Amino acid sequence: MTVMVLPQPAEAQPSGGGGIRLAVSIALTVWLLLVVAFGTAGAFVGPPGTPPLAIAFGFGAPLVLFFGLLRLSQSFRAFVLSLDLRLIAGMQAWRWAGFGFLALYAHKVLPAVFALPAGLGDMAIGITAPWIILALVRQPDFAARAAFIRWNILGILDLLIAVSIGTVSTFFATGTPGEISTAPMATLPLLLIPEFLVPLFLMLHTAALMQSRQLIRSRAEKSRPTDRAAC
């Protein structure tokens, strides 16, 4: 059996990649454990009608660190550019579990204004992920095509829209008995979605778009000598 590997530019191959992988694995584990620990202590639960500052911090801090490392650490950037795009797309396939939002809406746990767009959007990305993986296996340069870029951008928009709706919804919560609000998202296990999975999926989409951009640049640079020779 022949295994097709996506081409990686020489500069995208991380030196000391094992150390970077270990550090990233440890960071992800610590991040997850912190979310669980603070979630168990109720640190993300706030009074109804108030800004979800704790959730916003827990959501934004890992992303700030991620983009900061991309800018400041060449080895981390090289590690991100070396990730297997098929694995990245495969992890996005887990978003088919957005069906759970629809189930929670049906059982009157989450409001429709949040559960429906969040659930349907995630399902759309998760269900189409296998086709993206298949396209990458058959044509490694698919990563440089508009369809791949659009899929990742739509995946990012889905996550940002869901987070925005969830945030705005908290301002309209009154805390009255029987009220259906997004308050359950501040408690475990649903807390893992905005505080761990959503930032992680955004990082993966970013990594995919970075690799797509690099592949496009690489192909453009390779075609330039041919263009000059033709002139």
Side-chain angles (χ1 to χ4, degrees):
M1 180 185 298
T2 301
V3 179
M4 185 175 294
V5 180
L6 295 178
Q8 298 291 343
E11 60 271 22
Q13 302 295 337
S15 56
I20 291 292
R21 290 190 186 91
L22 178 60
V24 170
S25 298
I26 293 174
L28 289 174
T29 302
V30 171
W31 176 18
L32 178 59
L33 292 176
L34 285 174
V35 171
V36 172
F38 283 110
T40 302
F44 296 97
V45 178
T50 59
L53 297 180
I55 290 182
F57 177 81
F59 168 80
L63 291 172
V64 171
L65 179 61
F66 173 76
F67 286 107
L69 286 173
L70 283 178
R71 185 174 182 84
L72 300 175
S73 173
Q74 185 62 36
S75 58
F76 180 74
R77 182 180 178 86
F79 166 76
V80 170
L81 289 172
S82 71
L83 294 174
D84 191 327
L85 285 176
R86 295 163 298 182
L87 175 61
I88 291 176
M91 293 183 69
Q92 298 289 357
W94 282 99
R95 287 166 66 178
W96 68 268
F99 176 79
F101 282 125
L102 305 186
L104 291 173
Y105 159 66
H107 287 82
K108 298 182 179 180
V109 176
L110 292 174
V113 68
F114 169 75
L116 294 182
L120 293 174
D122 273 344
M123 289 174 65
I125 296 299
I127 291 173
T128 54
W131 279 269
I132 298 297
I133 298 171
L134 184 60
L136 289 169
V137 170
R138 290 178 174 176
Q139 300 173 317
D141 64 345
F142 176 75
R145 297 188 180 181
F148 180 78
I149 296 173
R150 281 196 301 267
W151 182 75
N152 281 282
I153 291 176
L154 289 174
I156 291 174
L157 288 176
D158 163 59
L159 295 171
L160 294 181
I161 289 172
V163 170
S164 299
I165 293 175
T167 301
V168 173
S169 297
T170 61
F171 289 94
F172 296 95
T174 62
T176 56
E179 179 185 33
I180 301 175
S181 70
T182 54
M185 298 299 299
T187 59
L188 293 170
L190 292 180
L191 176 66
L192 294 175
I193 297 174
E195 298 301 280
F196 184 76
L197 292 178
V198 171
L200 180 61
F201 287 141
L202 286 172
M203 294 175 191
L204 293 173
H205 278 306
T206 299
L209 290 174
M210 287 174 59
Q211 290 198 35
S212 177
R213 181 182 180 185
Q214 181 137 323
L215 183 56
I216 292 172
R217 284 182 173 179
S218 177
R219 291 172 60 183
E221 290 174 358
K222 289 180 180 178
S223 65
R224 283 174 189 170
T226 303
D227 294 341
R228 294 194 191 100
C231 294

